[in-house]
């Protein structure tokens, strides 16, 4: 039970897994992530990125340009979520089909 609680603590919320999915495809700037995740506010995105960075799932790269460029990318550790994401995707598709059929 404790391991499930730990996993849910790190991945809880509406936006964390979609952010990781967005970054698994390619590194992105903040505004590019916002475009991928329609409906997320800048404040929430910043909070979620910080949390994901603290949990080693996202890497924040700062480039000393003028103005400063910040690029976010999925960390190698985030690859450990690929099977979880695939399973959730399959379950979600099946659940949607079940609900629509009834």
């Amino acid at each position: 039970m404790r391991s499930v609680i730990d996993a849910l603590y790190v991945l809880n919320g509406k936006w964390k897994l979609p952010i990781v999915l967005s970054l698994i495809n390619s590194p992105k700037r903040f505004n590019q992530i916002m475009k991928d995740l329609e409906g997320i506010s800048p404040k929430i995105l910043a909070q979620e990125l910080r949390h994901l960075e603290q949990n080693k799932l996202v890497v924040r790269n700062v480039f000393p340009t003028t103005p400063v460029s910040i690029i976010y990318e999925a960390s190698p550790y985030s690859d450990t979520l690929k099977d979880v994401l695939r399973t959730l995707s399959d379950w979600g598709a099946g659940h949607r089909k079940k609900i629509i059929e009834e």
Side-chain angles (χ1 to χ4, degrees):
M1 182 67 79
R2 183 70 200 160
S3 59
V4 171
I5 293 169
D6 290 345
L8 291 175
Y9 173 77
V10 172
L11 302 172
N12 71 335
K14 178 179 179 180
W15 298 109
K16 285 190 180 81
L17 288 176
I19 290 168
V20 171
L21 275 173
S22 172
L23 295 174
I24 281 175
N25 294 326
S26 66
K28 294 184 173 100
R29 291 173 169 248
F30 189 89
N31 286 335
Q32 292 171 306
I33 301 169
M34 292 241 356
K35 287 178 186 173
D36 278 355
L37 305 174
E38 190 175 314
I40 193 169
S41 73
K43 178 182 176 184
I44 297 299
L45 179 55
Q47 288 174 354
E48 299 292 53
L49 284 167
R50 266 193 306 277
H51 191 258
L52 289 166
E53 186 180 5
Q54 289 169 350
N55 284 284
K56 312 292 188 213
L57 294 168
V58 167
V59 176
R60 182 178 185 260
N61 298 300
V62 180
F63 298 96
T65 58
T66 305
V68 172
S69 295
I70 300 172
I71 306 289
Y72 295 93
E73 65 180 313
S75 72
Y77 181 54
S78 69
D79 287 345
T80 62
L81 290 173
K82 284 184 178 177
D83 289 339
V84 172
L85 293 169
R86 193 173 4 267
T87 300
L88 276 173
S89 178
D90 292 346
W91 184 88
H95 178 68
R96 179 179 299 267
K97 184 177 177 185
K98 180 173 183 61
I99 296 300
I100 290 172
E101 289 175 353
E102 291 182 0

